[in-house]
Amino acid sequence: MKLLLTLILIIVNYCYLINANKLFVNFVGSYSSNTCDGNPSGIGFSLTVGQCLPIEGVLSYVINDMPPTTNWFITMGGDGNSFTLKQYDSQDTWCKQDPINTLQFDNFDTCVEQPAFINVNNSLLADTPLVYSKLTLSQNVPTYAPDSVIIGQYNTNTNVCTYNDQQYGISYTSGTVIYNENGISIHVLCNEVNQSMMFKCKESKCGETFIDTYCQMSGDVQIYCNSNN
């Protein structure tokens, strides 16, 4: 009887911890080497565990006729140090059908090959070379590379976005070129007063596209600089 009660308490406590803490799986920054040495550059991702996520990159907000995104779902392993990442068709908005791709990760705090979020989810339009990221797990607060423009997607019923409502975040280190085709380039940066900005350049002439945006409605996007994270 005592053993049964102990097992029940363990299960209840485990469920409480899972519900009390929002978990983020973070692919922090981009690195060219499989040891993740030096300073990160390019793009990184932070995904909420247990939600079907239609990740959209920044180009979705500035370029028309983008291809449809696919959906992603993370399931934690029983040991708390592994997880499965599944990719679903763009029409499968609840991630209930058979996945089109499955990736298994066995350890956090390691350097891993970054999944193909970039190529298939409109974050960059180009043939992107193989890159690596630092893989981390965080509770209640996502982790990004410092000095980055952050695009956070939220599910909230107010005009205030909090990490508790965040579904995913995409980080672009300041100065990242996100598009470079046909003589046109688009890059993002954090300016001297920590505002996020996007510039569209053609023949060395650049125009500002947008600066920081804040949540205005349910399911809104927030764009900001994260210089100190």
Side-chain angles (χ1 to χ4, degrees):
M1 185 66 177
K2 289 183 178 180
L3 178 59
L4 178 61
L5 289 174
T6 301
L7 289 173
I8 292 174
L9 288 174
I10 291 174
I11 293 172
V12 170
N13 187 52
Y14 176 78
C15 293
Y16 171 78
L17 289 174
I18 292 297
N19 292 325
N21 295 286
K22 188 182 184 75
L23 297 179
F24 294 93
V25 169
N26 311 293
F27 295 87
V28 183
S30 294
Y31 299 81
S32 58
S33 73
N34 60 5
T35 56
C36 293
D37 294 327
N39 295 321
S41 61
I43 190 171
F45 299 88
S46 180
L47 283 65
T48 299
V49 172
Q51 294 187 20
C52 192
L53 305 173
I55 301 174
E56 295 184 3
V58 66
L59 284 180
S60 299
Y61 304 101
V62 296
I63 293 180
N64 296 325
D65 300 323
M66 296 293 291
T69 63
T70 55
N71 300 302
W72 301 80
F73 195 96
I74 291 177
T75 303
M76 292 295 298
D79 59 359
N81 197 43
S82 62
F83 69 94
T84 302
L85 174 64
K86 294 183 179 181
Q87 179 186 1
Y88 294 85
D89 184 83
S90 60
Q91 301 300 314
D92 188 4
T93 57
W94 293 98
C95 297
K96 296 296 186 182
Q97 306 302 317
D98 291 335
I100 58 178
N101 191 24
T102 300
L103 299 172
Q104 178 67 38
F105 296 86
D106 295 325
N107 292 288
F108 288 103
D109 301 317
T110 56
C111 185
V112 299
E113 182 179 330
Q114 191 181 88
F117 300 121
I118 293 177
N119 297 36
V120 299
N121 284 104
N122 313 334
S123 299
L124 297 175
L125 286 182
D127 291 330
T128 305
L130 176 66
V131 295
Y132 300 87
S133 292
K134 290 183 178 179
L135 180 63
T136 69
L137 178 68
S138 59
Q139 294 184 358
N140 302 322
V141 178
T143 302
Y144 304 111
D147 195 25
S148 294
V149 174
I150 310 298
I151 299 179
Q153 176 70 51
Y154 299 82
N155 183 17
T156 176
N157 294 319
T158 71
N159 61 354
V160 177
C161 289
T162 67
Y163 290 138
N164 189 55
D165 299 314
Q166 182 169 316
Q167 297 175 304
Y168 66 85
I170 305 175
S171 67
Y172 300 87
T173 54
S174 184
T176 297
V177 177
I178 62 172
Y179 181 86
N180 190 9
E181 290 185 1
N182 303 318
I184 297 175
S185 66
I186 300 175
H187 66 276
V188 293
L189 60 82
C190 295
N191 66 13
E192 64 276 5
V193 292
N194 205 35
Q195 292 176 310
S196 60
M197 307 180 72
M198 175 182 286
F199 291 88
K200 182 178 181 180
C201 302
K202 183 177 183 180
E203 298 177 351
S204 301
K205 296 180 180 179
C206 298
E208 177 185 326
T209 303
F210 65 80
I211 58 174
D212 292 358
T213 60
Y214 300 95
C215 285
Q216 300 293 326
M217 62 189 72
S218 176
D220 211 345
V221 171
Q222 184 166 263
I223 302 173
Y224 61 98
C225 270
N226 194 43
S227 296
N228 297 319
N229 193 347

